[in-house]
Amino acid sequence: LAQPVTPELLVSPSSQDGDLGSECPEDRGNWTGRLDFLLSCIGYCVGLGNVWRFPYRAYTNGGGAFLVPYFIMLAICGIPIFFMELSLGQFSSLGPLAVWKISPLFKGVGMGTILIVSLVAIYYNMIIAYVLFYLFASLTSDLPWQHCGNWWNTDLCLDHHVIKAGNTTFPVNITNTVSPSEEYWSRYVLHIQGSSGIGDPGRIRWNLCLCLLLSWTIVYLCILKGVKSSGKVVYFTATFPYLILVMLLIRGVTLEGAWKGIQFYLTPQFDHLLSSKVWIEAALQIFYSLGVGFGGLLTFASYNTFHQNIYRDTFIVTLGNAITSILAGFAIFSVLGYMSQELGVPVNQVAKAGPGLAFVVYPQAMTMLPLSPFWSFLFFFMLLTLGLDSQFAFMETIVTAVTDEFPYYLRPKKASFSAVICISLFLMGLILTTEGGMYWLVLLDDYSAGFGLMVVVITTCLVVTRVYGMKRFCRDVHMMLGFRPGPYFRACWMVLSPATMMALLVYNIVKYQPSEYGSYRFPTWAEVLGILMGVLSCLMIPVGMVVAVLREEGTLWERVQQASRPTMDWGPSLEENRTGMYVASLAGSQSPKPLMVHMRKYGGIT
């Protein structure tokens, strides 16, 4: 039998000369264990916000009634966008920058994401540094924020132990007093009295600086080998907080007065549901708590095998995250109820959100318990593990995004590249360790991931459904999972999710309020700086468009059309997963190249 002749058209460069194989970039790597991906996603989504934002948001927005808009918003814009991000990452095995081969015209969205994540990573690690500071401070027999009379205390300091021990026949006026834990936080940890405002940062607090250095070192060591190392650490950091949360919950519920707090947290006030604010708050809580738009989900999914069941994982992670938030509310409010009974004030006077809850109210409640250093250590250790795995995700996102852009140069040097990023973000975060650092942290927290993040998510949603095409996207999901997304997902992607996001964006702009920290109002230049932070990430999108259009040829309209179509190598990264229209379109494969060029230029097969 004669040898079959390979037509000239089908001969690939790789079969002609063997040297080209060595030019392939180093392997990206994958998750090593079966649960690595799921636990990393849970660790990423379940963060500090579940403990210090959700319970407070629930009680200010109608208590138990808040759960109604919360779960509706979870269904409309939480689950669908979460699933979309995972699908994009897993299908292409690319990071948040390179994934825009799907439509190079919109690569600026990826650049905006990286900018937002970098800003968030700077201040998020500072919060972890505060947690480490308190963690070390808890390693004593007497908690340092238990009593007044230290050098940092003022005359306004009032020790609740004194009130309890003293004769309670005369009423104590506690309106103008400050708790020892509050003075410890603001005057000792932050030393905020050394700064007059955001424009006068004061000196660096060296103990905070060392804590920040330590937290960056921990993060670096955990992401040193990429997902291979961080995928192992999350087995501890994603599961351990649950153990501590249950311990704190049991301890909290057994305290007297605990029911008072829980009642406060859960009593439904249905009249709140008529105000738009509650629905917006619910959507914001879902949005930030699931971490959509930060690129972390996309990055994690890109290390999956091609047929991993992300559909199931989506529901496990999103519902698990919601349940954790509700549980954390019980743990927090049961202790607040006990505390309000001890101090003899209503619960709403002790309840706070954000850092105030974690570093002032809860530590103060800890001093009232027997074995207080032990409970305090547990609480801060829980916050540490909650914060760390979210930080791993931010760092992994930045590193993956850039190494996927330059795989030949950076992939072999991933460890040193990660070190460069960690060191530069540490240096940028040094201003947060100064006496006025808290003002900068509030500014970053308010503006870095505000409307910029929403613009990024809305654009992603619209590009995938309108530019790339709903049909194509559903076909890609079908290739991976063996079934097409149902009408619920399609309706959310096409209409409901983008519409909800748009409403959020408009609400955020209309109801804009200047930042403040306690009674301190930020000056105008700081406001402008904050708004610029948000605008800069949005500006990346038009900048990316200009660059993409300049790279193409032809008239302007032809250039725009070409730049908005997927690149030739878009699709699954491994040859064996490329079926249907993706067959043999990878460089170096047995591919009829001229046909592919023709398809890219004129769209479709003629």
Side-chain angles (χ1 to χ4, degrees):
L1 287 169
Q3 285 287 323
V5 180
T6 314
E8 201 51 8
L9 181 69
L10 293 175
V11 176
S12 72
S14 58
S15 53
Q16 287 170 348
D17 63 270
D19 300 344
L20 276 170
S22 61
E23 275 194 23
C24 280
E26 201 174 293
D27 189 31
R28 271 181 107 235
N30 282 84
W31 298 109
T32 42
R34 290 195 55 187
L35 286 175
D36 290 16
F37 168 68
L38 189 62
L39 288 175
S40 294
C41 281
I42 289 175
Y44 166 56
C45 296
V46 177
L48 297 167
N50 296 58
V51 173
W52 73 28
R53 289 242 167 86
F54 177 82
Y56 186 79
R57 267 203 171 131
Y59 116 79
T60 49
N61 290 303
F66 181 67
L67 296 178
V68 177
Y70 181 75
F71 279 105
I72 291 175
M73 287 300 174
L74 179 64
I76 292 177
C77 62
I79 294 172
I81 292 181
F82 194 92
F83 183 51
M84 177 186 270
E85 262 204 52
L86 292 187
S87 305
L88 278 176
Q90 181 166 309
F91 182 73
S92 62
S93 301
L94 296 170
L97 264 179
V99 79
W100 289 98
K101 286 177 179 177
I102 191 172
S103 181
L105 186 65
F106 293 95
K107 191 163 191 172
V109 178
M111 289 161 16
T113 305
I114 300 307
L115 183 67
I116 292 169
V117 171
S118 308
L119 288 172
V120 171
I122 292 172
Y123 81 82
Y124 205 81
N125 231 6
M126 190 63 223
I127 297 175
I128 297 176
Y130 291 140
V131 170
L132 283 168
F133 189 97
Y134 270 84
L135 192 68
F136 297 136
S138 303
L139 299 172
T140 54
S141 53
D142 258 352
L143 292 176
W145 56 86
Q146 196 157 347
H147 302 290
C148 298
N150 303 293
W151 64 261
W152 60 82
N153 291 126
T154 59
D155 301 338
L156 293 176
C157 180
L158 181 65
D159 193 340
H160 70 271
H161 295 278
V162 178
I163 309 172
K164 271 203 86 176
N167 189 356
T168 49
T169 47
F170 65 95
V172 179
N173 178 19
I174 65 163
T175 45
N176 294 330
T177 60
V178 186
S179 67
S181 64
E182 190 155 343
E183 292 206 331
Y184 179 79
W185 163 242
S186 62
R187 298 181 61 83
Y188 177 69
V189 180
L190 298 178
H191 204 264
I192 207 160
Q193 66 270 29
S195 154
S196 61
I198 191 166
D200 162 39
R203 293 193 306 272
I204 284 185
R205 303 275 294 140
W206 289 107
N207 41 13
L208 283 182
C209 185
L210 289 173
C211 284
L212 185 65
L213 183 64
L214 176 64
S215 64
W216 274 115
T217 311
I218 296 171
V219 170
Y220 174 66
L221 293 175
C222 292
I223 64 157
L224 181 62
K225 290 195 168 67
V227 289
K228 283 190 170 57
S229 52
S230 70
K232 289 289 160 274
V233 180
V234 289
Y235 279 88
F236 177 71
T237 58
T239 53
F240 198 66
Y242 285 98
L243 183 68
I244 303 183
L245 193 59
V246 170
M247 288 170 72
L248 288 172
L249 183 65
I250 294 169
R251 173 70 255 201
V253 176
T254 52
L255 296 168
E256 55 176 319
W259 61 271
K260 219 167 151 186
I262 291 173
Q263 208 177 1
F264 210 77
Y265 166 51
L266 280 186
T267 308
Q269 297 158 302
F270 287 106
D271 55 318
H272 278 64
L273 296 187
L274 296 173
S275 83
S276 60
K277 177 178 175 282
V278 172
W279 293 83
I280 297 286
E281 289 275 324
L284 285 176
Q285 178 62 34
I286 291 286
F287 194 74
Y288 289 118
S289 165
L290 289 177
V292 286
F294 285 104
L297 299 168
L298 201 140
T299 304
F300 283 160
S302 72
Y303 290 103
N304 275 341
T305 52
F306 190 66
H307 297 294
Q308 161 101 2
N309 188 353
I310 41 176
Y311 185 72
R312 176 199 61 206
D313 295 345
T314 297
F315 286 97
I316 294 176
V317 177
T318 49
L319 294 172
N321 178 52
I323 291 164
T324 310
S325 303
I326 295 167
L327 263 181
F330 280 105
I332 298 287
F333 269 91
S334 57
V335 173
L336 293 185
Y338 163 72
M339 188 170 153
S340 79
Q341 182 155 326
E342 288 282 294
L343 296 176
V345 293
V347 183
N348 59 355
Q349 278 189 24
V350 288
K352 274 189 180 175
L357 173 79
F359 301 119
V360 178
V361 179
Y362 215 83
Q364 185 189 357
M366 293 292 131
T367 62
M368 302 180 182
L369 301 176
L371 278 181
S372 52
F374 169 71
W375 292 109
S376 177
F377 181 83
L378 270 192
F379 175 70
F380 287 111
F381 196 70
M382 177 180 81
L383 288 187
L384 176 68
T385 49
L386 282 175
L388 275 179
D389 36 26
S390 301
Q391 186 70 12
F392 296 158
F394 296 146
M395 294 311 297
E396 196 61 64
T397 301
I398 300 169
V399 173
T400 300
V402 184
T403 46
D404 279 350
E405 276 299 287
F406 309 104
Y408 295 101
Y409 308 107
L410 291 178
R411 235 174 244 167
K413 308 186 186 69
K414 199 168 178 179
S416 12
F417 179 60
S418 304
V420 169
I421 288 189
C422 285
I423 291 167
S424 43
L425 291 181
F426 164 68
L427 293 174
M428 287 181 208
L430 279 179
I431 190 158
L432 302 177
T433 63
T434 57
E435 295 168 322
M438 194 63 196
Y439 300 127
W440 285 95
L441 193 136
V442 169
L443 192 74
L444 275 168
D445 188 31
D446 284 353
Y447 292 103
S448 61
F451 53 96
L453 187 67
M454 296 199 185
V455 172
V456 162
V457 176
I458 295 169
T459 315
T460 307
C461 216
L462 295 177
V463 170
V464 171
T465 53
R466 305 293 197 291
V467 181
Y468 183 63
M470 191 55 144
K471 262 184 167 167
R472 275 167 109 173
F473 185 61
C474 288
R475 189 185 52 212
D476 293 346
V477 174
H478 184 250
M479 250 172 85
M480 274 192 305
L481 306 179
F483 61 86
R484 286 176 184 275
Y488 154 65
F489 277 105
R490 291 205 299 275
C492 286
W493 287 335
M494 284 300 276
V495 183
L496 294 172
S497 303
T500 313
M501 298 291 177
M502 289 291 220
L504 278 185
L505 187 59
V506 171
Y507 181 86
N508 259 9
I509 294 167
V510 171
K511 293 280 188 209
Y512 168 76
Q513 278 180 327
S515 291
E516 48 186 48
Y517 178 70
S519 57
Y520 175 75
R521 287 290 170 88
F522 283 70
T524 317
W525 65 266
E527 292 295 321
V528 174
L529 186 68
I531 292 169
L532 281 178
M533 262 194 287
V535 172
L536 194 59
S537 49
C538 303
L539 278 181
M540 292 292 185
I541 302 175
V543 169
M545 284 178 170
V546 172
V547 173
V549 168
L550 290 177
R551 282 185 170 171
E552 298 292 342
E553 295 163 8
T555 63
L556 181 64
W557 178 239
E558 281 170 353
R559 288 176 177 216
V560 170
Q561 278 186 304
Q562 284 183 30
S564 59
R565 290 199 191 107
T567 58
M568 282 177 42
D569 52 353
W570 164 252
S573 62
L574 295 177
E575 193 73 56
E576 66 253 32
N577 295 325
R578 293 178 90 92
T579 54
M581 70 169 292
Y582 297 106
V583 169
S585 57
L586 271 183
S589 63
Q590 299 279 332
S591 70
K593 268 292 156 50
L595 178 65
M596 287 308 297
V597 174
H598 183 85
M599 278 174 63
R600 168 142 161 72
K601 231 174 183 154
Y602 305 107
I605 297 183
T606 52

